[in-house]
Amino acid sequence: MNAACRDKVTRRFFWSVGALFTFTALLKVLALIHGRHLAMRPDPVFWFVSARVTSVVAICLEFAIVAMLVCRAPARHKLAMLCWVAGLFLIYRVMWMEAVPAPEPCPCFGLFWQQLGVKAVFGNRVSMAILIYVALGSVLLLARERRRGLARSSGQANATIAGRRLQTGLVVALALGGGAHLTPSVGRAGEPAEAAGFQMCAEGRADINYLTGREPEHLRFQLEVSGRKTGILVSGFNNSDILTNAFFYDGHLACHVLIFSPDRRKPSLVLDPNTGEPSWDTNKLVRPLNDANLILCESPLPREAPVLPLWLAFCSGPYLSQWSVGRMEKLFDLERTQRMEPLIVPCEVRRSDKPPGLLTFLATLDDARAHTNELFRVLAWRTMSGLSLPARFEFRLFESHHPPHGRLLTIIQCVVTNFWFPTNKVTERPQIRGRVSVADERFSRDPIPLPVVSYWTTNGNVPDASLVRSNHVYRAQVEIERAKMRRKLDAPWYVVFMAVALAPGLWIAWRGHARKRSKTN
């Protein structure tokens, strides 16, 4: 490659780097303007300053490099500065990846990737590819300029293949860092297979006997089922504050609803003027803020004791069919949200051999098979239009969380008084009036897994997951989880960074000292 071609490659490299640095610097400026809440977070690498400070430093360096590239400085000086800045950015990027193990978008492009809806993994690989391109290209070109200078000073013609190395290096850089990573989709936890078109409605009573000393309850229930879709309403609680305990499942999303009475009152929360400690004032009753509680999750398994036996009797077929023989999810699990994964336990399941093949017996055991966790069995059947349906069934709940294990806690006996076939579609999602406190559990499989996202809704609708993800409550909780996952780096990382940062100053000082010594000699 002759000198003219080599100079042309160098100029094009300078122009490409100048365009990239100008683009990324402007994106950082826009991020500082429109993303002020993000800029005030502590920097994950230099935790003692905010992300705004590191962004401003990066912007100044990038604009300084662009200004130097358009001036008439020697090419070797420009390449040396590019090597230094690219090395500095690369070390910071590696430290950032070490400090932030969670998939978090790199601040190199500001909010560019988030606004485009691109995954953080792809954006981070693009930024790494650009840094490798700048670093590798400047190193190869600087090595070529160095050889040209030596050849000129010694008067020897030294053929070089730096251009070919540069091209090879750039291809390798793009191959290493520029590829997009496609994350395979993950199925929903506990999503059942399609069931046959079994449809029916039922109503009856449920008697709950608590062996722990609580007063028995005599409840009423209504039930609708259509394939995978379910609607269950339970009412008549001893606690007059609770109107309805409801469960809805539309095939993908489960809604656990607890609707309170509008006349419900509770003691007000006051602060002791002497100690400043909060306490409840029973003499001053106020109306609570929430008219209902709503839990959203993707598992079709109910959690409330009054609803669970009804679901087992009529709606559990599609869900139970996905589990292997002898193992299934524990039905009544108080620690489900803490684990974010179901607890799999031994079980015994029996089905009716008559259509529609509903459950006749189910028992879940502890891992040692020494104690029973839950027990369900059908006591009587009724035939309607060729379908064998449970008319009377029982559910028993045993102690499985605290010793002594295996102690009987609750007995629920249900009697169906009426069956009929539905004329309208089963309710898929409830319409809830008033102010609703929502505990959303649909985000346990997000890149930053969240066990529960809590918020309020007043429009009576169940929000889609995409709307919740765009809410400031979700974003704030993601930032909290990211902060928990971050870790402080060891001292050697900062030693290497400072060594690279101070390298130009140390080199200039050494060259000045060497020149003074040569003059004195």
Side-chain angles (χ1 to χ4, degrees), residues 364-374 398-399 404-407:
T364 63
L365 312 172
D366 61 359
D367 287 331
R369 296 181 176 268
H371 303 287
T372 302
N373 295 330
E374 300 102 0
F398 298 84
E399 178 61 74
H405 294 257
R407 180 169 56 96

Side-chain angles (χ1 to χ4, degrees), residues 440-446 448-451 453 465 468-469 474:
D440 203 330
E441 301 176 6
R442 290 177 288 179
F443 311 104
S444 60
R445 294 182 180 271
D446 281 12
I448 304 295
L450 302 179
V453 177
V468 179
R469 288 188 179 96
Y474 174 87

